[in-house]
Amino acid sequence: MSSERQTSHTKFESPEGQLVSRLMGLETEYATLIANRPDLATADLPASANIYSMICEAIRRDQPTVRGYYDADQMFLASGGAVTFESHPTLHAIPGGLVEIATPEVSSPDELLACQRSIDQLVTEAATKVDSPLDLRILKNSTDALGHVYGCQENYEAIVATGVWLILYRICVTVLWITQIFSLIFTLPILAVTASLVFAIRLRHQQFARAVRKSADSIEQGNGEQSVGQLFETLPGWIKTTLTKLLRLVNWPTIVLLRLVAKQVAFRKQRRFLAPLLVSRVALCGSGDLDHDGRFRLSAKAMAIDVVSDMGSYDGERPIFVFGHWIGQFCAKSFLSWTSTISMFKKRQRLQIGLSDSNLSDLAEYVKVGQVSLILDMIESGQTKPLLRLPRVVRSLHEITRDWNLVRRVRTSRGDMNAIEIQRHYLKAAKKFIAGVAIERRGEAELVITRWQELLDVVTAFRRDAKNMTPSLGRVDWLSKRWMIDQLGPGAQWIAKKKADLRYHELSPEGYYQKLAASNPALVLIDPQRIEQRRRVPPSNSPAVKRGWLIREFGDGDATVAAEWEYGILGEGRHRKRIDFK
């Protein structure tokens, strides 16, 4: 059958009509550490809010920025990305904290890799330029020494449903919006009581400060050190518990319906056929982890996953497919912007994947997003017959992740397979799919296949000969880390091994992966000049172009500017103007 005849049955809905050209982006949570100061006690370390402020200030000196429209602590960049403080307000005063930086929306894996590396570079340099005598370092990893799990999330624009399921989805969105109207009515009195209590505490603190402090300046400084979240924490425990439970009770119908949509309605095909790919992908793109019992795993993020689809951290759950961003969409943005509400009725929505490691390897980072984008094209084109299904997704994920020898087999719709066999099956199906598409419509797909094959071959070589780790060094993160830990010798203690685990992810020149990459330039897939360009401006075909322009033009001016992902607000009052980015 000719290519022309084959492609007549394949329909793509990507903006450019090419494979792997859908909108995509990455959100990466960076951890921080203070180097070369073992003498510092935990109480002497800077608060997470202070670290975040210092990093943001250093970034502002690098390029124009504007604040977030819904989140004043959020900062949008001239490059099109955004910086967010990933910490609960009640934890702002304790050391640590995570700085999340999102790439701009792009339409190719290659551009996404360039944007991600520009962000890695930006936050690394910002840490060296903070206004502090401490040696601040950035870690791009997925877990810390205490076992806290964080890392990376992937975002793809995808078809949320078709046919009857699309109608049902839109009915659910309508019901959700109506439900939130009633929830808002019942929430307002609770918020009023909370605000009154916090205001009373603030007033009491001010009166106490005036009584014990002689300097008005010190009074103002003392007041400014306490956020609303910290003041809320000073309330009696039973009051905090009661108010929190009341708010959760009021919003319970919304959460129940959101979970129903997430588990039964939205992205049904994508979740079904992507699951085997994502579960087996840890063998190629996992970043590796040494747990507290000294066991080496392919991915700390994968071991923390406990459900296929859910909100994500609302009740402590860690899903593969995350729908937590919908909570903000329905509980806040839908009431402040009619456009945000309308956007939820669109056929194409954001599919967020939480099962994603923070990669340092260019090859692994590229393949991670490239293969998902390509398989999404297959699914949305109706070419799902050759794809697999997993009857026990989470259990299969944990079994594969525990086995760094890559021999563990899990049940699939086509018999028992190990991770390499599942990846090989999907790669074969993708090659056949691309062969049936006209050359001018393949876009970046052939490069995805080439690099996917390269990464799979490296891991397969290790599977055949466990002593053959050399080809994987700098290409497969978990294998590179495993090799470094092995160099410490069989008698090395856990603390030495864990240090190697963490230092692998350090983004400074002293980081172990950075040293490895410096010794082998072939590992670098993006030209340094291009990384520098993406640090300043987004790709020309990105929706972030308008956002970047707005920030560069008005970010350093006198006008009041705020931004969201889809629009910006310029000016105030009667002169207030909304600028749509899409």
Side-chain angles (χ1 to χ4, degrees):
M1 183 181 292
S2 66
S3 295
E4 290 77 7
R5 188 174 177 182
Q6 284 177 307
T7 55
S8 65
H9 298 288
T10 304
K11 297 180 180 180
F12 304 113
E13 297 194 29
S14 60
E16 299 178 8
Q18 295 184 330
L19 296 177
V20 293
S21 63
R22 69 184 61 245
L23 288 180
M24 61 187 79
L26 289 173
E27 301 171 15
T28 303
E29 294 170 330
Y30 298 90
T32 60
L33 64 83
I34 304 298
N36 305 317
R37 291 298 303 273
D39 57 305
L40 287 179
T42 301
D44 298 325
L45 296 173
S48 58
N50 292 341
I51 291 178
Y52 178 75
S53 296
M54 289 189 294
I55 290 177
C56 287
E57 184 57 36
I59 292 176
R60 290 188 192 99
R61 293 194 292 267
D62 177 84
Q63 61 180 270
T65 66
V66 302
R67 69 174 180 84
Y69 181 64
Y70 293 106
D71 181 0
D73 290 329
Q74 189 177 37
M75 186 173 69
F76 281 87
L77 310 175
S79 62
V83 186
T84 306
F85 188 23
E86 282 297 301
S87 176
H88 192 275
T90 60
L91 303 177
H92 288 185
I94 67 173
L98 301 171
V99 179
E100 180 183 281
I101 307 185
T103 66
E105 317 91 305
V106 299
S107 56
S108 85
D110 186 62
E111 284 288 11
L112 185 53
L113 178 60
C115 291
Q116 182 59 52
R117 289 297 170 263
S118 73
I119 287 175
D120 293 344
Q121 183 188 89
L122 175 67
V123 70
T124 302
E125 292 188 10
T128 66
K129 297 177 181 178
V130 297
D131 186 15
S132 171
L134 298 175
D135 186 1
L136 185 64
R137 305 287 179 89
I138 299 294
L139 295 182
K140 185 185 178 186
N141 63 342
S142 299
T143 183
D144 59 19
L146 300 177
H148 300 135
V149 178
Y150 41 90
C152 177
Q153 293 188 121
E154 304 165 36
N155 297 281
Y156 302 90
E157 186 181 65
I159 297 175
V160 68
T162 57
V164 175
W165 288 106
L166 180 59
I167 296 173
L168 180 59
Y169 164 78
R170 287 170 173 167
I171 291 174
C172 289
V173 169
T174 303
V175 175
L176 275 165
W177 195 79
I178 295 173
T179 302
Q180 269 308 105
I181 293 177
F182 289 99
S183 296
L184 179 63
I185 294 173
F186 289 106
T187 298
L188 289 176
I190 302 173
L191 294 177
V193 171
T194 304
S196 299
L197 291 171
V198 170
F199 176 78
I201 292 174
R202 185 187 293 274
L203 183 61
R204 182 179 177 183
H205 283 190
Q206 289 174 345
Q207 292 172 345
F208 178 76
R210 292 191 185 98
V212 300
R213 297 182 186 272
K214 298 179 180 180
S215 169
D217 291 337
S218 64
I219 292 175
E220 293 175 2
Q221 183 179 2
N223 293 340
E225 292 175 353
Q226 289 188 306
S227 67
V228 173
Q230 291 169 330
L231 289 172
F232 179 78
E233 282 299 298
T234 63
L235 292 172
W238 68 271
I239 294 181
K240 290 188 297 182
T241 301
T242 301
L243 291 173
T244 301
K245 288 185 176 180
L246 283 174
L247 285 173
R248 291 176 70 92
L249 179 63
V250 166
N251 288 283
W252 179 78
T254 300
I255 300 302
V256 170
L257 188 52
L258 274 174
R259 281 183 163 146
L260 176 66
V261 176
K263 294 173 179 287
Q264 305 296 333
V265 181
F267 303 114
R268 289 170 56 84
K269 290 184 178 180
Q270 291 91 337
R271 290 186 284 114
R272 181 184 305 123
F273 295 112
L274 278 180
L277 179 77
L278 299 175
V279 165
S280 60
R281 190 180 65 174
V282 296
L284 275 61
C285 305
S287 61
D289 175 62
L290 186 74
D291 70 12
H292 282 281
D293 295 322
R295 297 170 297 191
F296 190 81
R297 311 299 199 191
L298 300 182
S299 165
K301 195 83 176 285
M303 290 304 299
I305 294 294
D306 54 13
V307 66
V308 176
S309 300
D310 212 320
M311 296 298 99
S313 298
Y314 183 81
D315 286 322
E317 71 280 355
R318 293 187 178 275
I320 295 176
F321 300 99
V322 184
F323 291 84
H325 54 286
W326 282 9
I327 296 178
Q329 188 73 32
F330 284 105
C331 297
K333 296 180 181 179
S334 62
F335 292 101
L336 300 176
S337 172
W338 179 247
T339 304
S340 297
T341 302
I342 296 299
S343 68
M344 292 301 297
F345 287 89
K346 292 181 179 179
K347 187 177 182 180
R348 303 187 73 86
Q349 296 291 331
R350 172 158 64 116
L351 172 65
Q352 188 169 81
I353 296 175
L355 176 54
S356 182
D357 280 66
S358 295
N359 292 109
L360 296 175
S361 161
D362 280 8
L363 183 61
E365 192 109 78
Y366 179 89
V367 171
K368 175 176 71 177
V369 295
Q371 63 172 205
V372 171
S373 183
L374 181 54
I375 298 302
L376 280 173
D377 286 335
M378 288 186 63
I379 294 170
E380 293 179 0
S381 300
Q383 308 297 314
T384 59
K385 187 176 181 180
L387 303 182
L388 302 173
R389 285 176 290 175
L390 291 177
R392 298 190 297 262
V393 176
V394 175
R395 178 176 174 180
S396 297
L397 173 63
H398 291 167
E399 289 180 355
I400 287 175
T401 305
R402 291 190 188 100
D403 176 33
W404 63 273
N405 290 302
L406 307 178
V407 297
R408 185 66 59 87
R409 303 172 74 85
V410 298
R411 185 182 303 174
T412 76
S413 56
R414 300 199 178 191
D416 293 349
M417 296 183 180
N418 60 37
I420 291 178
E421 290 169 337
I422 294 174
Q423 284 288 313
R424 189 179 295 122
H425 183 94
Y426 270 78
L427 178 59
K428 181 180 179 181
K431 287 179 178 179
K432 185 175 181 180
F433 172 66
I434 291 174
V437 177
I439 294 177
E440 64 272 12
R441 300 182 64 197
R442 293 179 184 178
E444 205 176 304
E446 292 180 327
L447 180 60
V448 171
I449 291 295
T450 299
R451 290 179 173 173
W452 187 354
Q453 183 72 67
E454 178 185 352
L455 191 61
L456 183 57
D457 288 345
V458 167
V459 176
T460 301
F462 166 77
R463 170 65 182 84
R464 292 171 178 168
D465 181 5
K467 296 181 180 180
N468 188 19
M469 285 190 175
T470 302
S472 67
L473 296 182
R475 293 179 174 84
V476 183
D477 282 313
W478 73 266
L479 266 172
S480 301
K481 183 189 289 185
R482 178 74 209 190
W483 177 82
M484 291 181 181
I485 292 176
D486 287 346
Q487 302 312 298
L488 299 175
Q493 297 191 6
W494 180 87
I495 189 67
K497 294 180 179 180
K498 193 60 183 179
K499 178 182 177 181
D501 182 344
L502 295 176
R503 291 296 297 274
Y504 177 87
H505 296 276
E506 185 179 319
L507 293 184
S508 77
E510 297 179 21
Y512 292 172
Y513 180 85
Q514 303 305 318
K515 291 182 178 181
L516 186 63
S519 67
N520 186 2
L523 297 175
V524 178
L525 300 182
I526 305 295
D527 184 82
Q529 286 75 25
R530 188 164 162 224
I531 293 176
E532 180 62 27
Q533 182 185 26
R534 287 294 160 260
R535 184 168 162 173
R536 306 297 171 187
V537 294
S540 59
N541 62 345
S542 168
V545 168
K546 287 186 179 180
R547 185 165 59 248
W549 168 83
L550 178 73
I551 295 171
R552 287 190 301 273
E553 288 294 317
F554 301 100
D556 291 334
D558 297 329
T560 301
V561 186
E564 246 298 304
W565 287 104
E566 296 185 354
Y567 59 88
I569 301 296
L570 180 61
E572 295 180 303
R574 292 182 302 172
H575 303 289
R576 183 175 180 270
K577 182 179 180 181
R578 171 174 168 145
I579 301 174
D580 290 317
F581 299 143
K582 295 184 179 181

